[in-house]
């Protein structure tokens, strides 16, 4: 059965949901599934804005044929060549042999790389500032290199003031009938997944996102159509502000996130005790995570959100506990910045994790590691509570209202 929804008179959502996928990009858990959005503009010409992942091909083609209502497809616009959106290009060409493919020069290089096909006879090559008219609708093409692939481009529809934003403003989570952000409780039900999607997939490319946001500021945008998750047609300032913060590596709120690595529970106990002390000192937002039990993508998302971080790691093989070391490496890869950090180490005979974590954190930009730290030998006992209290005080002193 087809499942499409109207965005404007001429533009239709024809995407599909995958709720079977365990790991997006074979890496990120998606317990709420994921949507692959695709859009059809029906004008004098018909224009498909991206295809979908092969896993939802059946639903996608049913939707597309319903939306075309017997017409042929004239154009396919390829925002970027990541296979979760371009997998169906070959099938589109076979079904609609006269279709033209719109992309930039790099798009067509990648079509060759992925599919080995020469599509030059149907290629419409666009560059920054180019426009294509399909009747009442004119698309303006805006290059967005490294948001988050090199060939990414977004398109702005002058008539309906729609920004087709590629992966920008996307989120994990399947769409359950509601396709607009104003049809769901975004802040409660979607924001965490939107942040997890952004920070892990686009997070490294903050400067490129900033460049795109500057270009977008010059457009009169009424609707944002991303390739995953809800479409924005109300309160665009909400998601734009989030993107400003995330792409500038600014914390969303004054909050402490405590991340611990614990083998037998003693480091976990210290982390929980510190959390309690922070709350008693008036810190309202404190979260504690076991790095062994929480997917690294969730930890990264929380790290982007919070102003203050505490890393508590047992010493393992004379180094940092592996799950913690992996997290610190991921932070570096995603260029986490602008944090205040406190350290706790544990070790029954030679605690060295704090020194090594400090070294790894020194590779990050604008990360202040507090001098006050806690070194535990096996377990922290009641007589040593003052040590932890001093750390809590040092953290609180650096927090603003
Ligand atoms: Fe959703 Fe960059 O692909």
């Amino acid at each position: 059965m087809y499942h499409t929804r109207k965005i404007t008179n001429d533009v239709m959502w024809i995407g599909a949901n995958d709720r079977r996928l365990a790991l997006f990009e074979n890496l990120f858990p998606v317990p709420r599934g994921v949507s692959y959005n695709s859009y059809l503009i029906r004008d004098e010409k018909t224009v498909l804005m991206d295809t979908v992942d092969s896993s939802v091909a059946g639903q996608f083609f049913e939707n597309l044929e319903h939306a075309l209502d017997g017409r042929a497809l004239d154009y396919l616009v390829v925002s970027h060549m990541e296979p979760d959106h371009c997998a169906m290009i070959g099938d589109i060409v076979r079904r609609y042999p006269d279709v033209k493919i719109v992309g930039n020069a790099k798009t067509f290089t990648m079509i060759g790389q992925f599919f080995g096909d020469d599509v030059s006879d149907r290629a419409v090559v666009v560059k920054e500032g180019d426009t294509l008219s399909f009747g009442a609708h004119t698309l303006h093409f805006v290059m967005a290199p490294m948001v988050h692939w090199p060939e990414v481009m977004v398109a702005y529809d002058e008539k309906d003031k729609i920004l087709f934003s590629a992966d920008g403003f996307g989120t994990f989570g399947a769409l359950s009938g509601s396709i607009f952000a104003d049809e769901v409780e975004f802040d409660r039900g979607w924001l965490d997944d939107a942040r997890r999607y952004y920070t892990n997939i686009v997070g490294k490319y903050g400067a490129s996102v900033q460049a795109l946001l500057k270009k977008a500021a010059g457009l009169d945008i009424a609707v944002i159509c991303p390739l995953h998750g809800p479409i924005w047609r109300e309160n665009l300032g909400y998601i734009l502000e989030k993107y400003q913060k995330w792409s500038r590596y600014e914390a969303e709120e004054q909050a402490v996130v405590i991340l611990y690595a614990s083998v037998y529970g003693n480091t976990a106990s210290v982390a929980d005790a510190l959390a309690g002390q922070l709350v008693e000192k008036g810190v309202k937002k404190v979260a504690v995570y076991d790095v062994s039990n929480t997917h690294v993508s969730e930890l990264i998302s929380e790290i982007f959100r919070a102003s203050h971080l505490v890393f508590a790691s047992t010493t393992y093989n004379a180094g940092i506990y592996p799950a913690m070391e992996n997290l610190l490496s991921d932070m570096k890869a995603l260029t986490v910045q602008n944090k205040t950090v406190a350290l706790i180490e544990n070790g029954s005979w030679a605690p060295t994790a704090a020194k090594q974590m400090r070294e790894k954190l020194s590779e990050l930009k604008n990360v202040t590691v507090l001098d006050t730290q806690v070194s535990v030998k096996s377990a922290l006992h009641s007589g040593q509570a003052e040590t932890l209290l001093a750390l809590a005080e040092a953290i609180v002193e650096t927090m603003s209202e």
Side-chain angles (χ1 to χ4, degrees):
M1 176 64 191
Y2 69 82
H3 167 44
T4 63
R5 284 203 55 196
K6 229 175 174 185
I7 298 168
T8 63
N9 269 343
D10 309 328
V11 181
M12 202 170 251
W13 175 87
I14 59 163
N17 293 303
D18 187 346
R19 296 185 181 85
R20 291 186 173 192
L21 183 68
L23 297 173
F24 184 80
E25 293 189 1
N26 213 9
L27 186 57
F28 305 110
V30 279
R32 298 174 57 239
V34 66
S35 78
Y36 301 104
N37 297 342
S38 171
Y39 304 94
L40 184 71
I41 302 171
R42 295 181 301 189
D43 201 338
E44 287 170 25
K45 300 289 182 187
T46 55
V47 186
L48 177 64
M49 306 301 290
D50 282 304
T51 75
V52 295
D53 190 84
S54 58
S55 62
V56 295
Q59 181 69 61
F60 166 69
F61 279 113
E62 200 166 348
N63 292 349
L64 175 59
E65 289 190 6
H66 169 73
L68 284 169
D69 194 21
R71 295 177 65 182
L73 181 65
D74 299 311
Y75 290 92
L76 164 63
V77 175
V78 179
S79 74
H80 74 304
M81 280 299 293
E82 199 160 12
D84 56 332
H85 309 292
C86 77
M88 292 296 106
I89 290 178
D91 287 59
I92 287 284
V93 169
R94 280 186 283 280
R95 282 176 183 241
Y96 308 102
D98 296 327
V99 70
K100 300 228 177 308
I101 300 176
V102 181
N104 55 61
K106 286 180 187 157
T107 315
F108 292 102
T109 304
M110 283 208 192
I111 287 179
Q113 286 175 204
F114 273 107
F115 303 119
D117 292 337
D118 177 9
V119 293
S120 51
D121 57 332
R122 62 180 75 248
V124 179
V125 184
V126 293
K127 58 183 185 321
E128 177 75 21
D130 281 358
T131 60
L132 282 178
S133 194
F134 305 102
H137 292 262
T138 298
L139 288 181
H140 294 241
F141 295 96
V142 177
M143 301 301 125
M146 298 320 298
V147 184
H148 56 138
W149 275 39
E151 79 293 6
V152 172
M153 64 182 198
V154 301
Y156 175 69
D157 172 28
E158 203 175 275
K159 177 174 180 288
D160 289 342
K161 300 180 179 175
I162 298 174
L163 180 70
F164 294 98
S165 61
D167 277 328
F169 307 100
T171 170
F172 296 128
L175 295 168
S176 297
S178 308
I179 65 162
F180 296 101
D182 56 273
E183 293 178 329
V184 298
E185 288 187 77
F186 194 89
D187 208 49
R188 198 165 66 88
W190 287 83
L191 178 60
D192 286 346
D193 259 341
R195 186 190 305 104
R196 189 165 67 93
Y197 177 89
Y198 173 85
T199 56
N200 285 278
I201 291 174
V202 192
K204 180 181 175 69
Y205 306 107
S208 306
V209 175
Q210 277 288 303
L212 177 59
L213 288 173
K214 280 196 182 79
K215 290 184 190 179
L219 301 170
D220 180 15
I221 299 168
V223 184
I224 298 175
C225 287
L227 288 176
H228 302 284
I231 294 160
W232 291 86
R233 64 179 175 183
E234 288 181 11
N235 199 12
L236 270 55
Y238 169 91
I239 195 68
L240 286 165
E241 192 211 329
K242 295 291 180 198
Y243 263 65
Q244 286 288 4
K245 286 208 161 141
W246 296 337
S247 58
R248 287 186 183 136
Y249 304 94
E250 284 174 11
E252 273 170 77
E253 50 195 9
Q254 289 287 305
V256 182
V257 169
I258 303 173
L259 307 119
Y260 72 78
S262 186
V263 179
Y264 295 110
N266 291 308
T267 309
S269 169
V270 177
D272 276 326
L274 176 66
Q277 290 179 347
L278 288 166
V279 171
E280 281 186 356
K281 287 185 175 302
V283 181
K284 295 214 165 30
K285 292 178 176 171
V286 179
V288 180
Y289 294 97
D290 180 340
V291 300
S292 299
N293 271 341
T294 315
H295 194 267
V296 68
S297 64
E298 288 182 33
L299 302 176
I300 288 291
S301 176
E302 282 292 85
I303 284 167
F304 268 71
R305 177 182 65 83
S307 56
H308 288 66
L309 310 171
V310 178
F311 297 98
S313 180
T314 189
T315 305
Y316 199 84
N317 286 332
I320 306 166
Y321 188 81
M324 182 67 85
E325 186 156 30
N326 178 53
L327 171 62
L328 294 168
S329 298
D330 215 23
M331 286 172 65
K332 186 184 174 194
L334 295 168
T335 67
V336 169
Q337 301 170 29
N338 307 324
K339 303 290 171 192
T340 301
V341 172
L343 298 176
I344 297 170
E345 65 180 358
N346 196 352
S348 291
W349 61 93
T352 61
K355 180 172 177 288
Q356 294 179 64
M357 287 194 288
R358 196 175 282 272
E359 279 166 15
K360 280 188 89 79
L361 289 161
S362 71
E363 297 168 1
L364 305 183
K365 202 170 154 190
N366 201 19
V367 167
T368 305
V369 184
L370 300 178
D371 291 334
T372 308
Q373 68 180 47
V374 171
S375 190
V376 179
K377 278 211 157 179
S378 303
L380 203 65
H381 301 288
S382 52
Q384 299 163 295
E386 286 303 313
T387 325
L388 202 56
L389 210 50
L391 187 65
E393 279 164 4
I395 294 168
V396 171
E397 273 169 22
T398 63
M399 298 188 79
S400 52
E401 291 299 316

